[in-house]
């Protein structure tokens, strides 16, 4: 590895965002992929954030300068069904990583979520108190607080919805699943009452890399498009741009009984991240174009 480069440990590197980040970061960092299923090598390390011994050993092995923590249970319904597991991964695991970063003096970038807010109104800035309505949102809010208590210099990024295609056999990227369903001629049902300002994976990763290089960057930052759009309209436009009939996208007009609660309007204000990174946040249509043109 190039000794002139800092070491970047991506925890959750085998997931959708992790793969995008690893590819983009390779020019500036010696990238080490951290994942439960990884093998120990010059470029990979096995790490289970629910296991203190595993986390400590991975940090001792890699000795990272910068850590990006992406690993989490992000399925909102799964978090509701298995609250203890969600807390073990999303809260205790995240704080455990922050403690190791503090011990080593490594920078930490943590991905949180707009779900820390209840979505009852339009527009949230970073200094507003979290008020989540779901177990997932609660665990993310608790992780944020725990991380900043242990490591006040940590960077926390909150996206509302991240879009892009996953590489290879990845299955947790929404666009891969959407394309597979539409290609098979299956209808896709999407809420028309939930509004988000999405961000493409490429722009999110660019923000991470810019912030890793900005010594003054610390605290919470929102990342998202300059305007919001209903999930239904967003998926309808994606389907059309992908060459499928928009009639395959069907509006869900009310919440499904038994599912975890979701915020109705998660529009995140993003002026703070623009000030630090100099990156102009895209419009929703630009997010769609970047996803479909291979920029994410």
């Amino acid at each position: 590895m190039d000794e002139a480069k800092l070491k970047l440990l991506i925890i959750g590197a085998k997931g959708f965002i992790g793969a995008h980040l690893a590819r983009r970061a390779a020019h500036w960092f010696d990238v080490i992929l951290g994942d439960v299923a990884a093998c120990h090598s010059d470029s990979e390390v096995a790490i289970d954030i629910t296991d203190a011994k595993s986390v400590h050993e991975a940090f001792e092995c890699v000795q990272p300068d910068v850590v990006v923590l992406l690993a989490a249970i992000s399925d909102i319904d799964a978090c509701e069904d298995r609250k203890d597991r969600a807390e073990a991964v999303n809260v205790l695991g995240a704080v455990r990583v922050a403690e190791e970063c503090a011990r080593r003096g490594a920078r930490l970038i943590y991905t949180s979520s707009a779900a820390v807010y209840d979505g009852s109104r339009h527009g949230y800035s970073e200094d507003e108190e979290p008020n989540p309505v779901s177990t997932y949102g609660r665990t993310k809010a608790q992780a944020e607080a725990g991380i900043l208590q242990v490591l006040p210099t940590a960077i926390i990024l909150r996206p509302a919805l991240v879009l892009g295609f996953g590489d290879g056999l990845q299955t947790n990227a929404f666009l891969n699943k959407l394309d597979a369903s539409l290609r098979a001629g299956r209808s896709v049902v999407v809420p028309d009452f939930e509004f988000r300002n999405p961000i493409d994976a490429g722009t999110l990763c660019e923000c991470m890399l810019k912030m890793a290089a900005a010594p003054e960057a610390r605290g919470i930052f929102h990342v998202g498009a300059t305007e919001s759009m209903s999930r239904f309209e967003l998926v309808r436009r994606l389907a059309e741009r992908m060459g499928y009939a928009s009639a395959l996208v069907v509006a869900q007009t009310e919440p499904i009984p038994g599912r975890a609660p979701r915020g109705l309007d998660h529009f995140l204000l993003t002026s703070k991240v623009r000030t630090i990174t100099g990156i102009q946040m895209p419009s929703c249509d630009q997010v769609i174009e970047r996803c479909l043109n291979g920029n994410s």
Side-chain angles (χ1 to χ4, degrees):
M1 292 190 292
D2 187 343
E3 295 298 330
K5 292 181 179 179
L6 297 177
K7 288 185 180 179
L8 169 64
L9 172 61
I10 304 173
I11 303 176
K14 299 278 177 90
F16 158 51
I17 298 173
H20 281 273
L21 179 60
R23 186 169 60 249
R24 289 169 179 266
H27 182 72
W28 294 277
F29 293 93
D30 281 328
V31 178
I32 296 88
L33 310 179
D35 197 86
V36 173
C39 300
H40 280 291
S41 69
D42 287 344
S43 61
E44 292 191 9
V45 65
I47 181 169
D48 178 356
I49 65 173
T50 67
D51 183 335
K53 184 172 181 286
S54 173
V55 174
H56 181 74
E57 289 179 348
F59 271 72
E60 285 296 299
C61 176
V62 175
Q63 299 186 27
D65 299 294
V66 181
V67 176
V68 176
L69 177 55
L70 302 169
I73 298 178
S74 56
D75 185 310
I76 297 179
D77 294 313
C79 287
E80 212 67 37
D81 292 338
R82 300 187 62 190
K83 293 181 173 63
D84 290 346
R85 178 64 177 167
E87 182 172 352
V89 176
N90 293 356
V91 183
L92 301 180
V95 173
R96 189 171 289 120
V97 169
E99 289 171 343
E100 285 293 334
C101 287
R103 183 180 67 84
R104 279 206 52 82
R107 298 203 77 187
L108 174 62
I109 300 174
Y110 170 70
T111 51
S112 186
S113 168
V116 300
Y117 296 119
D118 65 4
S120 62
R121 60 179 181 75
H122 187 70
Y124 291 91
S125 63
E126 291 88 347
D127 58 359
E128 297 182 63
E129 285 295 317
N131 54 349
V133 295
S134 66
T135 297
Y136 171 69
R138 176 177 57 78
T139 60
K140 283 296 189 178
Q142 289 175 337
E144 290 181 0
I147 287 169
L148 290 175
Q149 183 175 9
V150 170
L151 189 66
T153 58
I155 297 166
I156 293 173
L157 292 178
R158 289 180 184 151
L161 178 64
V162 185
L163 295 176
F165 283 100
D167 294 340
L169 298 177
Q170 292 168 3
T171 59
N172 62 340
F174 171 72
L175 288 191
N176 293 64
K177 297 176 182 178
L178 176 65
D179 184 54
S181 294
L182 296 175
R183 187 182 300 274
R186 296 192 298 268
S187 295
V188 178
V189 181
V190 192
D192 65 359
F193 51 86
E194 292 179 7
F195 290 78
R196 305 288 185 264
N197 58 325
I199 195 68
D200 58 286
T203 301
L204 176 61
C205 292
E206 186 181 357
C207 286
M208 290 180 185
L209 295 172
K210 289 272 190 180
M211 293 188 128
E216 71 276 20
R218 58 188 290 172
I220 299 170
F221 298 86
H222 289 170
V223 183
T226 53
E227 83 274 38
S228 61
M229 185 178 290
S230 75
R231 285 181 178 267
F232 168 73
E233 179 62 19
L234 181 63
V235 173
R236 189 186 67 80
R237 292 193 192 186
L238 281 164
E240 289 179 341
R241 283 287 292 107
M242 292 162 70
Y244 298 110
S246 60
L248 286 172
V249 182
V250 180
Q252 173 195 332
T253 58
E254 58 185 26
I256 298 173
R259 297 192 73 194
R262 270 89 164 156
L264 297 182
D265 190 350
H266 282 160
F267 178 61
L268 301 177
L269 305 176
T270 60
S271 59
K272 185 178 176 183
V273 77
R274 290 199 304 273
T275 299
I276 289 290
T277 65
I279 298 172
Q280 177 62 44
M281 292 294 104
S283 67
C284 286
D285 282 333
Q286 287 173 323
V287 167
I288 291 170
E289 290 301 316
R290 291 177 185 186
C291 290
L292 301 182
N293 288 335
N295 294 329
S296 287

